[in-house]
Amino acid sequence: MREETLAIIFGMAVVTFLPRFLPMAFLTRWVVPERVKMGLGYVPTAILSAIVFPILFFNDGGKVAIQPLYLLSAVSVFIFSWKVKRLWASVILGMLVYWGLGFLM
Amino acid sequence: MTNNGQFREGVKDALPVVLGYLPVGMAFGLLARNAGMTPSEAGLMSFLVYAGASQFLAIEMIYKGMTWLPIVSATFFINLRHFLMSSNLSLYFKKTRLPVLGFLSAQLTDESFAVAISNLPKVKNSPPYVFGLQITSHLAWVIGSIGGALFGPFIKISEYGLPFALPSLFICLLVFQLKSVRHYGIMVVAGVSSLFFKWALQGNWYILLAALLAGGIGAVIEIINGKEKTGADRQEGDGKQGQSSKLKAQRKTLRKCLEFEAQRRISRSRIEL
């Protein structure tokens, strides 16, 4: 392996590790006040929404776009997982709908 | 549950993630090869860095002939979003030793975080569960990358709906989080603001900024409305010291019953809606 590539890989490994590790290391050793805990309570919903929405409304090139294939598949998964509450089934359904609609569109 | 049982449970819950990671890992391996990296370099990067968006950006920058400094700094900023996820998970590992935490946090990704927070009773103070979940996902990522670098041109990774596996995973896990009207409000705020931030700013800041904004608003609402209990608090509730294990087991059973009843009511009210 080339040195330059190795330097890149190790450098990346260090800077990806720090934001993953430091909060765990410090916050687990600290008595978290109730208010901070309440604030963190909505973080999962917020993070997941902030990941999902841009996938649907931005195309691969990073431009704003209405993508009927993505939107219809997403709505199907949303309704299905709301009713059925099975992760596996929802993922498979999403893939099938996306695949199937791909032939129609 | 025994450590072994927890571990296996984690492996099982990782399978939907594996379904998404294998094809994306392959796409990474293929592109890394095109950018002039060897399969072993691609594999090593996936093993040590294990961060999808940064890796794709890195190979593009390597392809353009950039040096380590801009690549490493770009990676740092893209992955700052894990700061918030790690903070959130820290609530559930109060009793875990530091080296174990180091191991667990090294493998934290958007996807494993999303699965973990949807299975909090399994996660709480249970490193083997999280380890099983994460090592399985990590392996899929590394194997996918090496496979893509070796055989990429012969495999169709954009077929069979595979590109929609991870979006489906995130959508479903988001639905699992929507437990009250307030959660829907947070979803709308985070979703719309993430669109704005992604449109307005370069790079991957949108996840962190939107989550901070929406999470912050949620926190303010909670504080204004007094000490209404959130999901995280309920999970935390049995952390007091000096309880006998029998009492703990009883509480666990009671909590499961309550959760089941709550679930039933939620699904019933949805049908009525």
Side-chain angles (χ1 to χ4, degrees):
Chain A
M1 285 185 210
R2 292 154 299 169
E3 269 174 39
E4 174 71 20
T5 315
L6 281 180
I8 291 171
I9 293 175
F10 285 116
M12 287 173 76
V14 172
V15 297
T16 46
F17 178 67
L18 292 179
R20 284 168 168 162
F21 176 63
L22 292 180
M24 282 253 209
F26 287 108
L27 294 184
T28 46
R29 262 93 197 126
W30 174 52
V31 182
V32 184
E34 274 308 297
R35 292 190 170 196
V36 177
K37 251 190 232 169
M38 286 195 285
L40 287 175
Y42 285 109
V43 164
T45 309
I47 289 180
L48 288 169
S49 311
I51 292 174
V52 168
F53 278 62
I55 294 177
L56 303 180
F57 293 102
F58 282 82
N59 63 20
D60 286 341
K63 295 268 181 300
V64 182
I66 299 292
Q67 309 169 91
L69 182 56
Y70 267 70
L71 292 176
L72 285 173
S73 313
V75 170
S76 319
V77 177
F78 194 94
I79 295 171
F80 183 82
S81 48
W82 199 39
K83 296 257 182 220
V84 180
K85 304 214 166 298
R86 288 274 175 281
L87 182 58
W88 250 108
S90 305
V91 171
I92 300 285
L93 176 105
M95 291 168 65
L96 285 177
V97 172
Y98 180 86
W99 193 35
L101 286 177
F103 290 110
L104 301 175
M105 288 180 169
Chain B
M1 213 189 282
T2 61
N3 280 357
N4 224 327
Q6 290 174 356
F7 181 82
R8 244 176 281 151
E9 195 68 14
V11 172
K12 213 179 76 192
D13 287 351
L15 292 179
V17 180
V18 170
L19 206 59
Y21 273 9
L22 277 176
V24 181
M26 282 178 170
F28 168 75
L30 178 62
L31 292 172
R33 190 74 184 273
N34 286 345
M37 288 173 81
T38 64
S40 52
E41 284 168 348
L44 185 71
M45 186 186 269
S46 285
F47 177 67
L48 288 180
V49 180
Y50 189 33
S54 316
Q55 287 181 233
F56 278 105
L57 185 67
I59 48 173
E60 205 173 300
M61 292 171 88
I62 290 174
Y63 185 68
K64 286 179 181 154
M66 293 190 189
T67 54
W68 69 273
L69 188 62
I71 299 177
V72 170
S73 12
T75 304
F76 176 71
F77 288 115
I78 291 178
N79 283 281
L80 270 185
R81 67 181 189 284
H82 287 141
F83 202 85
L84 216 50
M85 301 184 198
S86 175
S87 306
N88 193 267
L89 282 184
S90 73
L91 292 176
Y92 309 104
F93 290 101
K94 290 285 178 201
K95 294 165 196 159
T96 310
R97 286 184 306 126
L98 208 56
V100 179
L101 280 181
F103 214 63
L104 290 183
S105 55
Q107 294 178 313
L108 175 67
T109 62
D110 296 2
E111 292 78 10
S112 66
F113 172 78
V115 174
I117 52 167
S118 306
N119 294 292
L120 283 180
K122 295 183 196 168
V123 166
K124 195 174 179 253
N125 289 320
S126 167
Y129 171 77
V130 181
F131 186 57
L133 168 70
Q134 292 186 331
I135 194 107
T136 312
S137 316
H138 197 166
L139 265 179
W141 181 244
V142 175
I143 291 172
S145 305
I146 298 174
L150 289 174
F151 315 108
F154 313 107
I155 308 166
K156 285 182 182 168
I157 42 180
S158 58
E159 277 296 320
Y160 317 115
L162 283 170
F164 208 68
L166 288 180
S168 304
L169 177 89
F170 284 125
I171 293 167
C172 178
L173 294 173
L174 172 61
V175 170
F176 289 173
Q177 290 294 321
L178 301 173
K179 296 160 199 152
S180 72
V181 181
R182 269 181 221 167
H183 287 90
Y184 281 90
I186 297 295
M187 175 183 82
V188 172
V189 173
V192 172
S193 61
S194 70
L195 294 179
F196 172 76
F197 287 130
K198 187 173 164 81
W199 173 76
L201 304 169
Q202 291 259 311
N204 258 30
W205 286 102
Y206 62 96
I207 297 177
L208 187 67
L209 291 175
L212 279 175
L213 177 72
I217 292 176
V220 170
I221 292 173
E222 286 291 331
I223 289 166
I224 291 172
N225 281 297
K227 306 268 179 195
E228 212 167 307
K229 291 230 161 186
T230 63
D233 291 328
R234 252 185 290 125
Q235 310 298 345
E236 280 289 287
D238 61 355
K240 278 177 197 146
Q241 286 180 337
Q243 279 176 339
S244 70
S245 55
K246 200 178 167 188
L247 194 64
K248 270 191 185 169
Q250 280 177 347
R251 280 188 155 218
K252 217 175 190 172
T253 324
L254 185 66
R255 199 173 60 206
K256 269 191 186 152
C257 294
L258 283 172
E259 271 170 7
F260 178 73
E261 173 66 10
Q263 276 295 329
R264 202 174 62 81
R265 285 192 191 172
I266 289 167
S267 44
R268 202 174 52 190
S269 64
R270 277 178 189 159
I271 292 164
E272 281 163 9
L273 277 174

